[in-house]
Amino acid sequence: MILSVLTLQPTAGRIEDLITFYREAGVLEASGALSTQVMVAEDNPTTLVVTALWPDDSAYTVWQNSPVHLEFGRSMASFFDSGDSTRSHRFHIVHHTDRES
């Protein structure tokens, strides 16, 4: 499995707008990931972290190359001052456990 982690630092005062965009545009739902989250850092409320769990590299690559993903990226550009405002990392999960609720 793959975990993608996207760290976003929108322009000052735009974090709520970005969260609203994620919700209203259905970004997470459109991704096709197994599980997705949008989180606000407790120690820095101007930082947004988006995680997604993918079954494999192929599923992640399909999303990255999809026209829908590219359009979301273009639509979100106005939330950021520069390309340095976003960082993306991909992790191969080597050990995992789940607890049932």
Side-chain angles (χ1 to χ4, degrees):
M1 283 195 291
I2 304 296
L3 179 70
S4 60
V5 179
L6 179 62
T7 303
L8 306 170
Q9 293 185 300
T11 303
R14 299 292 315 268
I15 195 157
E16 289 300 325
D17 296 334
L18 184 55
I19 293 168
T20 297
F21 175 83
Y22 263 88
R23 285 185 179 135
E24 291 180 357
V27 177
L28 301 183
E29 294 80 1
S31 73
L34 299 172
S35 175
T36 55
Q37 298 81 32
V38 174
M39 301 165 278
V40 177
E42 281 189 11
D43 61 342
N44 184 355
T46 63
T47 299
L48 199 67
V49 175
V50 181
T51 63
L53 183 64
W54 306 92
D56 52 38
D57 283 317
S58 176
Y60 176 77
T61 300
V62 166
W63 170 241
Q64 289 296 302
N65 295 329
S66 77
V68 172
H69 178 262
L70 298 174
E71 183 56 36
F72 282 140
R74 284 191 285 274
S75 297
M76 286 191 278
S78 66
F79 294 108
F80 304 98
D81 290 331
S82 73
D84 294 336
S85 300
T86 65
R87 289 186 311 280
S88 181
H89 299 282
R90 189 170 68 183
F91 300 90
H92 289 271
I93 297 173
V94 296
H95 183 71
H96 172 81
T97 185
D98 277 322
R99 287 191 168 168
E100 292 192 31
S101 302

